[in-house]
Amino acid sequence: MRAVGVVEASCEAIFGLVMGMDVTRYEWDCSFQYGSLVEEVDGHTAILYHRLQLNWCSMLVWPRDLCYVRYWRRNDDGSYVVLFRSTEHQNCGSQPGFVRAFIESGGFKIFPLKSLNGRPRSQVQHLMQIDLRGWGMNYLPSFQYHSLLQMLNCVAGLREYFSQTDEVHTVPRIPVMHAMVNAISMKKDQKLQEPDTKTKQTDSKILDMVDEESEDDDDYQVPEADLEEEPTKSDSDAKSSDPIDLSWFSGIIRQDANEKSRNCWAVPDNKIFKVRSKNFPHDKSKVPAGKYLMELVAVDWFKDTKRMDHVARRKGCAAQVAAEKGMFTFLVNIQIPGSSHYSLVLYFVSSSLKKGSLLQRFADGDDDFRNSRLKLIPSVPKGSWIVRQSVGSTPCLLGKAVDCSYLRGPEYLEVDVDIGSSAVANGVLGLVFGVVTTLVVDMAFLIQANTYDELPEQLLGAARLSHIEPSAAVNPELDNIS
């Protein structure tokens, strides 16, 4: 269920209140009894313990508590996203007298509206899909419904709270919880204690991810003379008119454009992605993308005990097949960390690499140039609300968000994207990877246009990945390659 309301306050003030677990929360959240910090994973991700105050047949129904991961981010438009997902933690075990509820999907989305009579306004969306569990769910079905309504009433509580005060609110601290496994049940009216330790500072990678893509005019080198509309660059600048025979290539993941197919890839419609227009330096306008400059020919899905670098050296891969036929390949190796390491490898092929083109300058440029230009546009056409909000659809300069390594071969350029190098990206991955089999994910890649003659932007290529199965990944056996 979802609740939506307009609150007369800035996004920052509302965000600060939503993040707090101190006594102030009693003033706007009628379902809150107690909250505490179990572990701060990084500046954007934390594990929390939360006791619910559900005033419904308290003589018959045991109280509920939660242990969940909370992840937040700030978008370029000034909006905030706060996401919840239940988890398990060694220091947050079951508590005597409580039933552990389970958050399937939940969170807040706070984005700014135009001010009214000089007062800032924001729209607040609160979604909660929760299984309260316990015997009451079978014998008292209305318990779930009424409890969920009580939790969603916090949107109305936020509106009333800010309508009565003009104070500036800062982000409250969350009390630290010690050894929940051995903790005794706390009194309902116990006051919360603030932590003695300071919140960890977010590293520079996190700040880069939050800022993502600068839209400032300073990014562009516009000629001083009056600009006249120039003909749109032909897609043939980088992509030959001769079609590429896909039968030459093969990968671990099969190609299948059927919407109901699983564990497959397809090429999404280029027009669903927005890129910078010819007039972007003047009016920030974006337009649907034109034809892809390169063609996605294969997708590999690897698994190993360690991170897999330079996968283009694997014999028989699409990059080597393309090189034998005199074609150029751009490989994106998305490295996913964990107890088992995964690599999703996308092979984009062009019949030739035109000298002097932006793609050629990117392929032969230095790493600083590449990091400042390679851009990803993500999207989740099919998935839960929490996943779609965590991934978003804002373009991201990959080299500023995560560590990227570039490997230039005779007829290819490979970029190894280390997701584990960024706390923010790793936090999003934690929300996504566990439910990857239920998702349809789009990823488009392009080289950012920073000068007028590079506009409009053109997509290198894009991939749509449908319901990918981790069990389908294979070992590439790179250690056996000299």
Side-chain angles (χ1 to χ4, degrees), residues 250-254 264-266 296-301 318 344-347 463-465 468:
S250 63
I252 304 302
I253 304 297
R254 63 186 175 86
C264 61
W265 65 269
L296 180 63
V297 299
V299 176
D300 276 332
W301 184 221
L344 179 69
V345 187
L346 310 175
Y347 300 86
R464 170 164 291 176
L465 303 163
I468 298 300

Short mmCIF file of all heavy atoms in Angstrom, two decimals, residues 250-254 264-266 296-301 318 344-347 463-465 468:
data_model
loop_
_atom_site.label_atom_id
_atom_site.label_comp_id
_atom_site.label_asym_id
_atom_site.label_seq_id
_atom_site.Cartn_x
_atom_site.Cartn_y
_atom_site.Cartn_z
N SER A 250 28.59 -15.85 -30.12
CA SER A 250 27.82 -16.60 -29.13
C SER A 250 28.24 -16.16 -27.73
O SER A 250 29.35 -15.68 -27.52
CB SER A 250 28.04 -18.11 -29.30
OG SER A 250 29.41 -18.44 -29.06
N GLY A 251 27.32 -16.32 -26.78
CA GLY A 251 27.59 -15.97 -25.39
C GLY A 251 26.86 -16.90 -24.45
O GLY A 251 26.05 -17.74 -24.88
N ILE A 252 27.12 -16.75 -23.16
CA ILE A 252 26.49 -17.61 -22.16
C ILE A 252 24.99 -17.36 -22.09
O ILE A 252 24.19 -18.29 -22.01
CB ILE A 252 27.13 -17.39 -20.78
CG1 ILE A 252 28.65 -17.59 -20.85
CG2 ILE A 252 26.51 -18.30 -19.74
CD1 ILE A 252 29.07 -18.96 -21.32
N ILE A 253 24.60 -16.08 -22.13
CA ILE A 253 23.19 -15.72 -22.08
C ILE A 253 22.66 -15.64 -23.51
O ILE A 253 23.26 -15.01 -24.38
CB ILE A 253 22.99 -14.37 -21.36
CG1 ILE A 253 23.59 -14.42 -19.95
CG2 ILE A 253 21.51 -14.01 -21.29
CD1 ILE A 253 22.95 -15.41 -19.03
N ARG A 254 21.53 -16.26 -23.76
CA ARG A 254 20.97 -16.30 -25.12
C ARG A 254 20.18 -15.02 -25.42
O ARG A 254 19.70 -14.33 -24.51
CB ARG A 254 20.05 -17.51 -25.28
CG ARG A 254 18.84 -17.48 -24.36
CD ARG A 254 18.02 -18.76 -24.43
NE ARG A 254 16.95 -18.76 -23.45
CZ ARG A 254 15.75 -18.22 -23.66
NH1 ARG A 254 15.48 -17.66 -24.83
NH2 ARG A 254 14.83 -18.25 -22.72
N CYS A 264 17.70 -14.16 -20.42
CA CYS A 264 18.01 -13.84 -21.80
C CYS A 264 18.28 -12.34 -21.93
O CYS A 264 18.08 -11.57 -20.98
CB CYS A 264 16.88 -14.25 -22.73
SG CYS A 264 15.32 -13.41 -22.38
N TRP A 265 18.75 -11.94 -23.11
CA TRP A 265 18.98 -10.53 -23.38
C TRP A 265 18.30 -10.13 -24.68
O TRP A 265 18.01 -10.96 -25.55
CB TRP A 265 20.47 -10.20 -23.44
CG TRP A 265 21.25 -10.83 -24.58
CD1 TRP A 265 21.91 -12.02 -24.55
CD2 TRP A 265 21.45 -10.30 -25.90
NE1 TRP A 265 22.50 -12.28 -25.76
CE2 TRP A 265 22.25 -11.23 -26.61
CE3 TRP A 265 21.04 -9.14 -26.54
CZ2 TRP A 265 22.64 -11.02 -27.93
CZ3 TRP A 265 21.43 -8.93 -27.87
CH2 TRP A 265 22.22 -9.87 -28.54
N ALA A 266 18.05 -8.84 -24.80
CA ALA A 266 17.49 -8.26 -26.01
C ALA A 266 18.01 -6.84 -26.11
O ALA A 266 18.66 -6.32 -25.19
CB ALA A 266 15.97 -8.30 -25.99
N LEU A 296 24.95 -4.72 -30.13
CA LEU A 296 25.16 -5.73 -29.09
C LEU A 296 25.08 -7.11 -29.74
O LEU A 296 24.05 -7.47 -30.32
CB LEU A 296 24.10 -5.59 -28.00
CG LEU A 296 24.18 -6.59 -26.84
CD1 LEU A 296 25.48 -6.43 -26.06
CD2 LEU A 296 22.98 -6.41 -25.91
N VAL A 297 26.17 -7.87 -29.65
CA VAL A 297 26.23 -9.15 -30.35
C VAL A 297 26.23 -10.35 -29.41
O VAL A 297 25.92 -11.47 -29.83
CB VAL A 297 27.46 -9.22 -31.28
CG1 VAL A 297 27.40 -8.12 -32.33
CG2 VAL A 297 28.76 -9.13 -30.48
N ALA A 298 26.62 -10.15 -28.15
CA ALA A 298 26.68 -11.29 -27.22
C ALA A 298 26.72 -10.77 -25.79
O ALA A 298 27.14 -9.63 -25.53
CB ALA A 298 27.89 -12.17 -27.50
N VAL A 299 26.29 -11.64 -24.86
CA VAL A 299 26.35 -11.34 -23.42
C VAL A 299 26.88 -12.59 -22.71
O VAL A 299 26.35 -13.69 -22.90
CB VAL A 299 24.97 -10.97 -22.85
CG1 VAL A 299 25.04 -10.78 -21.34
CG2 VAL A 299 24.43 -9.71 -23.53
N ASP A 300 27.92 -12.41 -21.91
CA ASP A 300 28.47 -13.51 -21.11
C ASP A 300 28.15 -13.29 -19.64
O ASP A 300 28.01 -12.15 -19.17
CB ASP A 300 29.99 -13.60 -21.30
CG ASP A 300 30.37 -14.39 -22.54
OD1 ASP A 300 29.59 -15.28 -22.94
OD2 ASP A 300 31.44 -14.12 -23.12
N TRP A 301 28.06 -14.39 -18.90
CA TRP A 301 27.69 -14.37 -17.48
C TRP A 301 28.62 -15.34 -16.76
O TRP A 301 28.49 -16.55 -16.88
CB TRP A 301 26.23 -14.77 -17.35
CG TRP A 301 25.57 -14.75 -16.01
CD1 TRP A 301 24.70 -15.69 -15.53
CD2 TRP A 301 25.64 -13.75 -14.98
NE1 TRP A 301 24.23 -15.34 -14.30
CE2 TRP A 301 24.80 -14.15 -13.93
CE3 TRP A 301 26.34 -12.55 -14.86
CZ2 TRP A 301 24.64 -13.39 -12.76
CZ3 TRP A 301 26.18 -11.80 -13.70
CH2 TRP A 301 25.34 -12.22 -12.68
N ALA A 318 33.40 -13.13 -28.01
CA ALA A 318 32.91 -12.30 -29.11
C ALA A 318 33.93 -11.26 -29.55
O ALA A 318 34.01 -10.93 -30.74
CB ALA A 318 31.60 -11.62 -28.69
N LEU A 344 29.19 -9.70 -15.51
CA LEU A 344 28.26 -9.60 -16.63
C LEU A 344 28.99 -8.85 -17.73
O LEU A 344 29.38 -7.69 -17.55
CB LEU A 344 26.99 -8.86 -16.22
CG LEU A 344 25.95 -8.67 -17.32
CD1 LEU A 344 25.32 -10.01 -17.70
CD2 LEU A 344 24.88 -7.68 -16.88
N VAL A 345 29.20 -9.49 -18.87
CA VAL A 345 30.03 -8.92 -19.94
C VAL A 345 29.15 -8.66 -21.16
O VAL A 345 28.51 -9.58 -21.69
CB VAL A 345 31.19 -9.86 -20.31
CG1 VAL A 345 32.12 -9.16 -21.29
CG2 VAL A 345 31.95 -10.29 -19.07
N LEU A 346 29.14 -7.40 -21.61
CA LEU A 346 28.38 -6.99 -22.79
C LEU A 346 29.36 -6.68 -23.91
O LEU A 346 30.33 -5.94 -23.71
CB LEU A 346 27.54 -5.75 -22.47
CG LEU A 346 26.68 -5.82 -21.20
CD1 LEU A 346 25.99 -4.48 -20.95
CD2 LEU A 346 25.64 -6.93 -21.30
N TYR A 347 29.10 -7.21 -25.10
CA TYR A 347 29.98 -7.02 -26.25
C TYR A 347 29.26 -6.17 -27.29
O TYR A 347 28.28 -6.61 -27.91
CB TYR A 347 30.36 -8.36 -26.88
CG TYR A 347 31.08 -9.32 -25.96
CD1 TYR A 347 30.36 -10.18 -25.12
CD2 TYR A 347 32.47 -9.39 -25.93
CE1 TYR A 347 31.01 -11.07 -24.28
CE2 TYR A 347 33.13 -10.29 -25.10
CZ TYR A 347 32.39 -11.12 -24.28
OH TYR A 347 33.04 -12.02 -23.46
N ALA A 463 21.46 -2.74 -23.58
CA ALA A 463 21.09 -4.14 -23.36
C ALA A 463 19.89 -4.20 -22.43
O ALA A 463 19.79 -3.41 -21.48
CB ALA A 463 22.25 -4.92 -22.76
N ARG A 464 18.98 -5.11 -22.72
CA ARG A 464 17.86 -5.42 -21.82
C ARG A 464 18.06 -6.84 -21.31
O ARG A 464 18.10 -7.80 -22.09
CB ARG A 464 16.52 -5.30 -22.53
CG ARG A 464 15.34 -5.83 -21.71
CD ARG A 464 14.02 -5.36 -22.26
NE ARG A 464 13.85 -3.92 -22.06
CZ ARG A 464 12.81 -3.22 -22.50
NH1 ARG A 464 11.86 -3.83 -23.20
NH2 ARG A 464 12.73 -1.93 -22.27
N LEU A 465 18.20 -6.97 -19.99
CA LEU A 465 18.47 -8.26 -19.36
C LEU A 465 17.23 -8.69 -18.59
O LEU A 465 16.77 -7.98 -17.70
CB LEU A 465 19.68 -8.15 -18.44
CG LEU A 465 20.95 -7.64 -19.14
CD1 LEU A 465 21.96 -7.15 -18.14
CD2 LEU A 465 21.54 -8.73 -20.01
N ILE A 468 17.64 -12.67 -15.07
CA ILE A 468 18.92 -13.38 -15.12
C ILE A 468 19.05 -14.33 -13.93
O ILE A 468 18.78 -13.96 -12.79
CB ILE A 468 20.09 -12.38 -15.14
CG1 ILE A 468 20.01 -11.49 -16.38
CG2 ILE A 468 21.42 -13.11 -15.09
CD1 ILE A 468 20.07 -12.24 -17.69
#
